Amino acid sequence: GNSVTQMEGPVTLSEEAFLTINCTYTATGYPSLFWYVQYPGEGLQLLLKATKADDKGSNKGFEATYRKETTSFHLEKGSVQVSDSAVYFCALMGTGGFKTIFGAGTRLFVKA
Amino acid sequence: GAGVSQSPRYKVAKRGQDVALRCDPISGHVSLFWYQQALGQGPEFLTYFQNEAQLDKSGLPSDRFFAERPEGSVSTLKIQRTQQEDSAVYLCASSIGQPSSYEQYFGPGTRLTVT
């Protein structure tokens, strides 16, 4: 079945550091891929998405590219801020389906 | 406008009790999802509604779990004879259209603790 694996946290970075959170997936067909973020005390919200191979999703300085050849959707940001401290979830939705499969989440701490 | 709301926000139930969790989606949203999130884990899909039709209930862990959305708006997730392993945060999400094309908006969740 479909699955998502993302790097374990926590990840601790200093402000302005480069961020990468790895995500790989297993799925048949051509799933849609997502990154969701959960800020402290808030609900899950969509950060970015990509619906086909080689698409790049971007939002708030974060980017992720849908790589079918490596079945990956790594999240990157060039310069993190303290306000980026949150839990990040990689997720996929299978072709023609409704079920969204989430990874276990990666907690990011950014120090001033 | 208002987002997705869920009630109650916290529920403590004794093992064996029945509970009902409510979700009010964003007005006009066709799609509605329920997820279960255990501590330190990602959300796990439970069920999906398109309007009042339950199109996928493959994630419901047992026949003690039942969800309904009779008028295509508010939804209720019912858990009968609660067990300790049911302790989790239950998340509801809604989407304006087909889920693969449109963003899911999540509610704050109901934290269920079974003692």
Side-chain angles (χ1 to χ4, degrees), chain A residues 28-67:
Chain A
T28 54
Y30 300 91
S32 296
L33 301 174
F34 308 86
W35 277 100
Y36 282 84
V37 59
Q38 187 166 32
Y39 298 104
E42 298 185 19
L44 270 170
Q45 54 187 275
L46 180 67
L47 180 60
L48 53 84
K49 70 176 184 181
T51 57
K52 60 183 189 293
D54 299 325
D55 267 3
K56 179 186 283 189
S58 61
N59 187 24
K60 300 182 182 179
F62 290 89
E63 292 183 341
T65 300
Y66 187 163
R67 301 280 189 208

Side-chain angles (χ1 to χ4, degrees), chain B residues 13-19 64 79-86 112 114-115:
Chain B
K14 289 197 167 120
R15 190 160 56 94
Q17 281 184 331
D18 297 350
V19 299
R64 297 186 295 103
I79 309 173
Q80 297 177 322
R81 304 181 303 281
T82 52
Q83 304 294 316
Q84 285 197 313
E85 62 263 28
D86 300 335
L112 173 66
V114 181
T115 60

Side-chain angles (χ1 to χ4, degrees), chain A residues 44 49 98-100 102-103, chain B residues 33 35 42 45 48 58 101 104:
Chain A
L44 270 170
K49 70 176 184 181
F98 316 109
K99 185 183 256 190
T100 305
F102 285 83
Chain B
F33 302 79
Y35 296 89
F45 172 87
Y48 167 70
S58 62
S101 303
Q104 291 183 45

Side-chain angles (χ1 to χ4, degrees), chain B residues 19-84:
Chain B
V19 299
L21 312 180
R22 178 186 169 107
C23 172
D24 283 82
I26 295 172
S27 177
H29 277 200
V30 166
S31 298
L32 187 145
F33 302 79
W34 282 99
Y35 296 89
Q36 181 189 60
Q37 186 175 19
L39 191 62
Q41 299 297 314
E44 286 200 16
F45 172 87
L46 294 178
T47 187
Y48 167 70
F49 289 87
Q50 189 174 94
N51 296 306
E52 68 278 4
Q54 189 174 21
L55 297 187
D56 189 335
K57 55 181 181 178
S58 62
L60 295 176
S62 77
D63 58 8
R64 297 186 295 103
F65 287 71
F66 173 76
E68 61 183 4
R69 193 185 185 199
E71 295 177 1
S73 55
V74 171
S75 178
T76 304
L77 176 67
K78 297 179 179 176
I79 309 173
Q80 297 177 322
R81 304 181 303 281
T82 52
Q83 304 294 316
Q84 285 197 313

